[in-house]
Amino acid sequence: MAKVRVHNFHISLDGYSAGETITLDAPIGGAERLFGYFDGRFIHGVDAVDAPITLDHALTSTWGQGIGAEIMGRGKFGPQTGEWTDDDWQGWWGDEPPFRTPVVVLTHHRRDPVSFDNGTSFHFLDATPEEALARARELAGGLDVRIGGGPSTVRQFLAADLVDFMHLVTVPVTLGAGVSMWDGLAEVQDRFTVESATSASGLTHHFWNRTRA
Amino acid sequence: MAKVRVHNFHISLDGYSAGETITLDAPIGGAERLFGYFDGRFIHGVDAVDAPITLDHALTSTWGQGIGAEIMGRGKFGPQTGEWTDDDWQGWWGDEPPFRTPVVVLTHHRRDPVSFDNGTSFHFLDATPEEALARARELAGGLDVRIGGGPSTVRQFLAADLVDFMHLVTVPVTLGAGVSMWDGLAEVQDRFTVESATSASGLTHHFWNRTRA
C-alpha cells in the first residue's frame, strides 16, 4: 500500500512550524529563521547542488523519492484568502514549481486546475482530509502521497490518523509565537515508532513510522 | 564538476570491509555479518520497499542519486581470477543487476563488454585509478561516478586522492580477519571534513567530504 509521508518538516524548540500571518513578503509568516539551516535545493537529490553532502542534505533528499502527489494547505500555495480574486497567482514558485507531480490544494473556494510543463499541476479541492487523500491517491498513480504542510494541514492529517511516516526536524531556535505544530495532538507519538539523530549543524532529525497493527 | 562518491561502505569495528577469500558461496568472503544490518533494496529509494523508513534506510537511498557510472574491482563482479575462462559469468546479480548504469570493472584480463536491458553494462578495463576514472566519466554523461568497492578498490582511489565524498558505515561487530579498509591510509582523514551520526540500530554513519582547496 502506498504511504502517506511528511518530509523536512521544521519545528522550533518552542514547537512552532510557521509564523502567524502569511503575506506576500513573508511566505512563512515571519518564521524564516526556522529555515536558516535548510537548503531546499537538495530535495531533488544529493547531486542537485555542488556542495558537500552532509547528513542534513542526504536526509533532505528523501523528499521526492517515490512521491506521486502532494497535498498542501492554501497558505502554502499563496497569501490570498477568501474567494479567488487573482487567478494570475499560480503559487510562489514561478514557472518551475519544485513538486513535479500533481498537488491537491485544500481550499473552500472553487478554482480551475493549473498545470506547468515540469509535471507540476495544482488541483483545488474543498474536502475533508480523507476525501483529499482519496483524490491525491488517484492522482499519484500508485506512488506515495506527501502531506506538504503548512502545520495546520499536517496536524489535520495526523489527527485523522492518516500519516504513515514523518520526517520532522527540530531546529535549535525559539520563535516565541507562530503556528504550533503540536496543538491538540497530545500523545500522538504513541501511534508511532520514533527514531532521532542529531547532525553536526545542530538539527535533530526525527523519523516517525506508524506502528503497524 | 561531477563528484566521485562512495556509498554504503560498511566497516567492522576492527576495520575490515570484506572477508579474506571470495568464493561462489561467499561473495563477500565470509564477512556476511557486516551486512546483517543492511537492506540493499533501499538503494533505489525509500519507497522501494514496504517497510519503515528509518535513518539507515534513508541514508542507504542516496546511493544512486545522480550517479552515471560505477567503478568496481574484479572481486565485486565475481569469484574468477586470472584469464576469463567462463564468459557465461555475468556477475552475481542475474538479469537485473542493481546498477542501472555503465560499470567499469578493473581487471588485468581482456574481456568484451556485457549489457543488460535495465541500463546496466559492464566494461572491463586494465587501468590505473586515474585512467579508470577518465573512462567512467565518459560513460557517466556528466553525472557523478561511484566507487563501488571492494575495499582494495576504494583504498586505491583514496590513496590517489580521487574521492570527493564517502558515506562509511561502522557496524558494531568484530570480524577478526579480512580485507582492511584502512591499511596504508594513515591520516587520510585529514583531507576530509567528517560528520558522524549513530542510528537506533547501532550503525554509525560517517559523511566524509573532501575539504576544498
Side-chain angles (χ1 to χ4, degrees), chain A residues 76-211:
Chain A
K76 180 169 172 182
F77 181 72
Q80 296 186 65
T81 56
E83 291 295 328
W84 294 98
T85 55
D86 177 10
D87 273 2
D88 287 342
W89 179 265
Q90 302 197 329
W92 304 97
W93 306 279
D95 291 338
E96 292 274 349
F99 308 101
R100 303 179 185 176
T101 67
V103 177
V104 172
V105 180
L106 296 171
T107 167
H108 297 304
H109 301 278
R110 213 202 147 276
R111 183 174 166 182
D112 289 335
V114 179
S115 290
F116 293 82
D117 287 342
N118 76 350
T120 305
S121 57
F122 294 104
H123 305 258
F124 302 90
L125 200 65
D126 183 7
T128 65
E130 288 81 359
E131 291 163 350
L133 180 56
R135 178 72 181 121
R137 285 200 196 276
E138 286 172 10
L139 292 166
L143 297 177
D144 290 353
V145 172
R146 185 176 52 239
I147 310 299
S152 306
T153 302
V154 172
R155 211 172 335 106
Q156 282 175 48
F157 281 82
L158 275 175
D161 196 16
L162 295 174
V163 174
D164 297 307
F165 170 77
M166 290 200 297
H167 166 218
L168 305 179
V169 185
T170 46
V171 185
V173 299
T174 58
L175 295 178
V179 180
S180 162
M181 174 62 198
W182 301 118
D183 199 21
L185 288 179
E187 304 184 353
V188 64
Q189 76 283 346
D190 292 351
R191 302 202 304 260
F192 293 84
T193 301
V194 180
E195 179 185 8
S196 305
T198 299
S199 73
S201 69
L203 301 181
T204 302
H205 296 269
H206 305 270
F207 288 74
W208 291 42
N209 284 278
R210 184 149 57 160
T211 308

Side-chain angles (χ1 to χ4, degrees), chain A residues 3 46 51 53 65 195 200 209, chain B residues 3 46 51 53 65 195 200 209:
Chain A
K3 285 187 171 133
V46 296
I53 303 174
Q65 291 177 16
E195 179 185 8
N209 284 278
Chain B
K3 286 187 170 131
V46 295
I53 303 173
Q65 292 177 16
E195 179 185 8
N209 284 277

Side-chain angles (χ1 to χ4, degrees), chain A residues 1 3 5 7 42 44-47 49-56 58-59 61-62 65-67 143-144 165 195-201 205 207-209 212, chain B residues 1 3 5 7 42 44-47 49-56 58-59 61-62 65-67 143-144 165 195-201 205 207-209 212:
Chain A
M1 180 71 167
K3 285 187 171 133
R5 294 160 39 192
H7 283 274
F42 281 96
H44 294 301
V46 296
D47 59 306
V49 186
D50 185 18
I53 303 174
T54 63
L55 182 69
D56 293 337
L59 296 178
S61 79
T62 59
Q65 291 177 16
I67 294 288
L143 297 177
D144 290 353
F165 170 77
E195 179 185 8
S196 305
T198 299
S199 73
S201 69
H205 296 269
F207 288 74
W208 291 42
N209 284 278
R212 282 145 190 246
Chain B
M1 180 70 167
K3 286 187 170 131
R5 294 160 38 192
H7 282 274
F42 281 96
H44 294 302
V46 295
D47 58 306
V49 187
D50 185 18
I53 303 173
T54 64
L55 182 69
D56 293 337
L59 296 178
S61 79
T62 60
Q65 292 177 16
I67 294 287
L143 297 178
D144 290 353
F165 169 78
E195 179 185 8
S196 305
T198 299
S199 72
S201 69
H205 296 270
F207 288 75
W208 292 41
N209 284 277
R212 282 142 190 250

Side-chain angles (χ1 to χ4, degrees), chain B residues 146-197:
Chain B
R146 186 177 50 240
I147 310 299
S152 306
T153 302
V154 172
R155 213 175 330 109
Q156 282 175 48
F157 281 82
L158 275 176
D161 195 17
L162 296 174
V163 174
D164 297 306
F165 169 78
M166 290 201 296
H167 167 216
L168 305 179
V169 184
T170 46
V171 184
V173 299
T174 59
L175 294 178
V179 181
S180 162
M181 174 62 199
W182 301 119
D183 200 21
L185 288 179
E187 304 185 353
V188 64
Q189 76 284 345
D190 292 350
R191 302 201 305 260
F192 293 85
T193 301
V194 180
E195 179 185 8
S196 305

